[in-house]
Amino acid sequence: REGLWMLLAAVGLLLLIACANVANLFLVRATERRKEMAVRTSLGASGRALGGQLVTESALVSGVGAIVGVAAAYLLTGRIAEQASGAFSLPRLESAAVDGGVLVFAAGLTAGTALFFGLLPAFEAVRSSPASTLGAEARGPSRQSGRVRDALVVLEVAVSVVLLSGAALLARSFTALLAVDDGIEAEHVLVGRVNLSGTTYGDAASRSAFFDELLSRIESSPGVAAAGGITFLPMDGLGAATSYWPDDRPPPAPEDRAAADIRNVTGDYFAAMGIEFLQGRDFADRDHAEAPQTIVVNRAMADRYWPDGTALGQRLVINWVDEEPWEIVGVVEDVRTQGPQVEPREVVYINYARGAFFPWLHLTVRATSDPLRLTQRVRQEVQALDPSLPLGSVRVMDDIVGRAVARPRMTSLMMVLFAGLATLLSAVGLYGVLAYTVSRRIREIGVRMALGAEPGDVLRLVVRQGSRLVVAGLAGGFVVAIAGARLMRGLLYQIGPADPTSLVAAGVILSSVSVAACAVPAWRASRVAPMEALRPD
């Protein structure tokens, strides 16, 4: 649930930026229309007439925004819900859609926005004296309203830094996760489950004989490179484990015993899955039911007890059926059984012929081309041996590995999307404030240029004003981002919450976008003609 809570927090921060943008728009709109409202009031316009005009204008703008938003929701909700359902395993999430309740909420939000931002300037105009308003207008914009607008821009930049740094952290974490060697070669591997539960295959010998014959027939089929079977597939979410200890050491107390994953394998499982042998051999025909008990272990097991490479020939006591020691005949590379983000732990592979602990096996078939083309062939071979047996859970191993990283992938993509929207909104807010400020300082700029100021001087003046807001927002945002990133620790892989690269990337991206937002108003200010700026209204 940690990823969902983080995404909900990101949505809240994005809404905060949107509200700040709307509030800034209101402040600019109210200031720009103050003179007009005062003139209309002095000419006899009533508050109802002013309110009707402003609400109509706001309703048109809000309505267009609502239509665009609902259309985007219709287009994106189904696709996002489908992806999120597999990533977060939430029941019925894939059926999420835009319904009547959502439309009512959108309509109510639209109406409320239109009324609030339409009527508030009218109320202010009715309460204010036209003479005082026009006098204040002649003296220039209010410093108080300017400080509020600047504070809102600083807030937007700070929140954008938090979202951008969080998105950068998750993106870097996901990149590191994809670079992990999971120990298998998942490409071109078809998997399917065969369950021998019931009285027909009531003993281990009959089950083992069935799977031996089935795998022999599959492996001789065209397009098959190798075929094997295992009780629990890597990264499929299920497994079995038990305690163990080396036979040449005293048995530890039950509470002190280490645990290892237990996997029954048969056929050419290791070849089919592309698992590399580091030492020794695979199970062979000589490892039959009457032969000495043999096992294959993974690197983690061998390195824990025999780091000098002497694991072959050693014996383990496995606390499963009995405590007879098992001899190690092979060591294979580690496999990420629980997922790429979980470090490998000790695994013991037991020949299915010596320990058919479970009545089922997952067939693993490595194909020379598209593995799904072998589905019908494998199903036919199962039916040929026993028409009552189905081939279930048919998948390709690539999908299982992909599902193991679906949650971090979905979380990263959503955070990148939210961070991008936040950056865009911040840039719009910064551009709006600077553009409005430039429009209010036209006379001042005209005077400066008439007194000899160069266009470059004016350009730097406007950019400097915007840069102060951006720097203040970056400073505050970095503090909050570093503190908030600690809450994301459980979602990160091989990346610390105070990762400097992610913070620098967030700062560079936001600074670049902010410079672009400042550039247009600054360029317009530098192009002001002194005669036009000083011409009376």
Side-chain angles (χ1 to χ4, degrees):
R1 306 290 180 181
E2 190 174 2
L4 278 176
W5 282 114
M6 192 202 62
L7 289 180
L8 288 175
V11 171
L13 292 176
L14 191 60
L15 287 175
L16 179 61
I17 294 179
C19 291
N21 244 340
V22 173
N24 235 331
L25 175 64
F26 159 70
L27 289 174
V28 171
R29 177 183 173 85
T31 304
E32 286 185 339
R33 304 296 294 275
R34 188 178 300 160
K35 181 178 179 180
E36 175 191 343
M37 295 297 103
V39 172
R40 289 177 178 270
T41 302
S42 63
L43 294 177
S46 64
R48 177 176 297 181
L50 295 178
Q53 176 191 347
L54 294 174
V55 168
T56 301
E57 295 175 3
S58 297
L60 289 174
V61 175
S62 301
V64 171
I67 291 172
V68 173
V70 170
Y74 268 111
L75 293 175
L76 298 177
T77 299
R79 183 172 299 180
I80 293 176
E82 181 180 355
Q83 297 294 325
S85 176
F88 295 106
S89 301
L90 293 178
R92 300 179 61 189
L93 182 59
E94 68 279 359
S95 62
V98 178
D99 57 8
V102 174
L103 295 177
V104 170
F105 173 78
L109 186 63
T110 301
T113 302
L115 286 173
F116 181 79
F117 292 107
L119 292 178
L120 206 55
F123 288 150
E124 185 178 357
V126 171
R127 290 201 316 267
S128 303
S129 168
S132 62
T133 300
L134 292 174
E137 189 71 18
R139 292 190 297 269
S142 168
R143 289 185 178 182
Q144 182 178 359
S145 63
R147 284 194 294 268
V148 173
R149 290 194 298 270
D150 291 349
L152 290 173
V153 171
V154 171
L155 174 64
E156 293 178 36
V157 173
V159 174
S160 297
V161 170
V162 175
L163 290 176
L164 274 173
S165 62
L169 279 173
L170 291 176
R172 280 174 50 77
S173 174
F174 182 63
T175 301
L177 197 62
L178 292 181
V180 170
D181 182 7
D182 50 29
I184 61 175
E185 297 176 6
E187 300 83 4
H188 305 298
V189 177
L190 178 75
V191 298
R193 188 170 184 265
V194 176
N195 193 342
L196 301 182
S197 298
T199 58
T200 305
Y201 306 94
D203 58 89
S206 61
R207 293 197 292 267
S208 178
F210 176 89
F211 283 119
D212 286 343
E213 176 64 18
L214 175 61
L215 291 173
S216 176
R217 296 168 70 117
I218 292 174
E219 202 159 22
S220 63
S221 302
V224 175
I230 186 171
T231 45
F232 300 101
L233 287 167
M235 291 179 277
D236 199 26
L238 298 174
T242 189
S243 58
Y244 73 96
W245 60 90
D247 184 45
D248 59 352
R249 306 185 187 188
E255 64 272 11
D256 296 330
R257 294 175 182 176
D261 292 327
I262 301 296
R263 301 291 184 266
N264 292 131
V265 298
T266 189
D268 291 332
Y269 168 75
F270 298 109
M273 294 292 281
I275 302 174
E276 178 185 1
F277 264 86
L278 305 178
Q279 289 181 286
R281 63 175 177 84
D282 195 353
F283 297 115
D285 292 338
R286 62 179 182 270
D287 299 306
H288 51 77
E290 291 75 25
Q293 299 182 135
T294 57
I295 55 174
V296 173
V297 300
N298 67 336
R299 180 199 290 268
M301 172 80 75
D303 288 347
R304 176 168 183 170
Y305 294 102
W306 306 281
D308 55 352
T310 59
L312 294 182
Q314 302 289 344
R315 294 158 66 85
L316 287 178
V317 176
I318 302 172
N319 187 24
W320 192 267
V321 177
D322 54 42
E323 294 189 358
E324 288 295 321
W326 297 68
E327 180 183 348
I328 300 174
V329 297
V331 179
V332 296
E333 187 57 87
D334 287 333
V335 174
R336 304 267 174 157
T337 57
Q338 303 302 317
Q341 69 273 24
V342 180
E343 293 297 323
R345 70 175 190 173
E346 294 86 349
V347 179
V348 175
Y349 297 95
I350 299 177
N351 189 354
Y352 193 76
R354 294 304 309 267
F357 304 133
F358 302 95
W360 68 79
L361 278 180
H362 290 275
L363 305 181
T364 56
V365 183
R366 176 166 292 277
T368 56
S369 58
D370 182 7
L372 289 176
R373 294 181 179 178
L374 295 175
T375 304
Q376 188 59 30
R377 179 67 178 181
V378 173
R379 184 172 282 114
Q380 288 174 354
E381 295 297 349
V382 174
Q383 296 289 307
L385 290 178
D386 189 336
S388 66
L389 291 177
L391 177 66
S393 302
V394 178
R395 295 164 288 174
V396 291
M397 197 63 203
D398 270 334
D399 289 345
I400 297 176
V401 174
R403 192 178 65 182
V405 297
R407 182 172 301 178
R409 179 193 294 115
M410 184 67 184
T411 305
S412 300
L413 288 176
M414 293 300 293
M415 278 296 293
V416 169
L417 175 61
F418 293 152
L421 291 174
T423 304
L424 177 62
L425 289 174
S426 296
V428 170
L430 180 62
Y431 168 81
V433 167
L434 291 180
Y436 175 72
T437 302
V438 168
S439 69
R440 303 290 291 179
R441 298 179 66 181
I442 287 294
R443 289 182 180 276
E444 174 194 341
I445 293 172
V447 171
R448 287 177 180 270
M449 298 191 71
L451 294 176
E454 297 292 332
D457 298 328
V458 177
L459 188 70
R460 285 189 292 272
L461 175 68
V462 177
V463 171
R464 192 183 306 119
Q465 179 183 356
S467 299
R468 285 199 298 267
L469 301 179
V470 174
V471 170
L474 288 175
F478 282 142
V479 173
V480 178
I482 293 174
R486 300 182 184 278
L487 302 176
M488 300 170 52
R489 191 185 299 273
L491 300 174
L492 304 179
Y493 179 75
Q494 293 185 349
I495 299 291
D499 178 49
T501 303
S502 300
L503 293 173
V504 170
V508 169
I509 292 173
L510 197 54
S511 298
S512 301
V513 174
S514 298
V515 168
C518 296
V520 176
W523 180 82
R524 288 180 177 174
S526 67
R527 306 289 293 178
V528 170
M531 295 300 296
E532 292 294 329
L534 297 175
R535 179 178 298 172
D537 293 339

